[in-house]
């Protein structure tokens, strides 16, 4: 089979996609440079040319996966509707029952970051950017009078901490919670942070949710 010649950027993206897939299959500790090379039909030397160590390849793979999710998050938060609706859409997408990043990949990454400074730096930076995007829309909605939230940054931290914790339970322990229960808890947490009732989360765009709805 004749391989198409790729430029540097295209080759790096191909390697990163393959690395993400292999990490999800094998785990961070078990994945090897050879696994990524083999699945693409290239040499180990080619992978090492672009990523001089396994650690750099793994850190790059996590950054690649997270950037894709950040792009999707920004797309959801940019919709022309109320801040409440945008936040609910984003939070439910991020939840363990949604279509966000493969939670197994991220749980592997969190564990590996305890021992890998490069991965810890990448994961920490991306985590802060994720929280910042949520906090920005929470602040926007509070300023517009849709709800009350005195500390958007703390609200974003609490929401993501809850969702991360639920992801660990559901992924690591094959939790018995149903999708309905998970999404109800997600809605309840968001409503609590915004100081509104759950019913206000699904209010029509033309109606500003009020406290106690």
């Amino acid at each position: 089979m004749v391989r198409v010649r790729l430029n540097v950027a295209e080759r790096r993206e191909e390697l990163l996609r393959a690395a993400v897939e292999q990490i999800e299959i094998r785990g961070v500790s078990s994945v090897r440079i050879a696994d990524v090379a083999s699945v693409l039909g290239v040499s180990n030397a080619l992978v090492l040319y672009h990523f001089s160590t396994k650690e750099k390849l793994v850190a790059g793979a996590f950054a690649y996966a997270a950037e894709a999710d950040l792009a999707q998050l920004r797309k959801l938060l940019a919709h022309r509707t109320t801040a409440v609706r945008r936040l609910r859409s984003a939070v439910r997408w991020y939840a363990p029952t949604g279509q966000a990043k493969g939670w197994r990949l991220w749980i592997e990454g969190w564990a590996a970051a305890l021992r890998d400074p490069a991965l810890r730096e990448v994961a920490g930076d991306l985590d802060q950017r994720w929280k910042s995007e949520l906090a920005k829309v929470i602040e926007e909605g509070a300023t517009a009078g849709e709800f009350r939230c005195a500390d958007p940054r703390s609200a974003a931290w609490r929401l993501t901490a809850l969702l991360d914790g639920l992801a660990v339970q559901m992924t690591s322990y094959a939790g018995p919670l149903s999708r309905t229960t998970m999404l109800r808890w997600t809605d309840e947490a968001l409503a609590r942070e915004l100081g509104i009732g759950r019913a206000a989360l699904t209010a029509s765009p033309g109606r500003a949710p009020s406290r106690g709805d």
Side-chain angles (χ1 to χ4, degrees), residues 34-208:
D35 297 321
V36 176
S38 177
V39 76
L40 293 175
V42 300
S43 67
N44 291 3
L46 178 64
V47 180
L48 290 169
Y49 172 79
H50 291 277
F51 302 94
S52 56
T53 65
K54 171 189 165 178
E55 290 72 23
K56 289 182 179 180
L57 176 62
V58 168
F62 276 93
Y64 176 79
E67 289 290 354
D69 278 344
L70 278 168
Q72 177 63 19
L73 175 68
R74 292 186 182 113
K75 181 179 179 180
L76 291 171
L77 294 178
H79 286 172
R80 295 174 62 85
T81 186
T82 64
V84 169
R85 282 190 165 231
R86 284 180 282 151
L87 287 165
R88 183 176 189 249
S89 177
V91 168
R92 287 167 71 94
W93 171 75
Y94 181 85
T97 55
Q99 284 76 49
K101 56 183 171 289
W103 279 107
R104 181 177 176 182
L105 172 72
W106 288 107
I107 292 169
E108 288 271 3
W110 293 336
L114 294 173
R115 299 173 297 278
D116 184 339
L119 183 55
R120 184 162 59 246
E121 183 176 352
V122 168
D125 174 66
L126 293 165
D127 182 66
Q128 290 301 312
R129 289 163 60 192
W130 186 279
K131 290 179 172 67
S132 178
E133 292 290 339
L134 286 180
K136 184 165 58 178
V137 178
I138 294 172
E139 183 174 6
E140 178 186 326
T143 300
E146 290 187 37
F147 48 78
R148 301 175 188 174
C149 182
D151 190 349
R153 183 171 178 273
S154 294
W157 271 72
R158 286 189 292 268
L159 284 169
T160 52
L162 170 66
L163 296 173
D164 289 346
L166 289 174
V168 171
Q169 292 291 319
M170 295 297 288
T171 305
S172 299
Y173 309 129
L177 294 175
S178 68
R179 175 182 171 81
T180 299
T181 298
M182 292 285 292
L183 292 179
R184 187 182 77 246
W185 286 4
T186 298
D187 279 351
E188 288 172 351
L190 178 59
R192 187 164 53 248
E193 291 295 345
L194 303 184
I196 58 178
R198 274 189 66 202
L201 294 177
T202 55
S204 65
R207 175 176 177 269

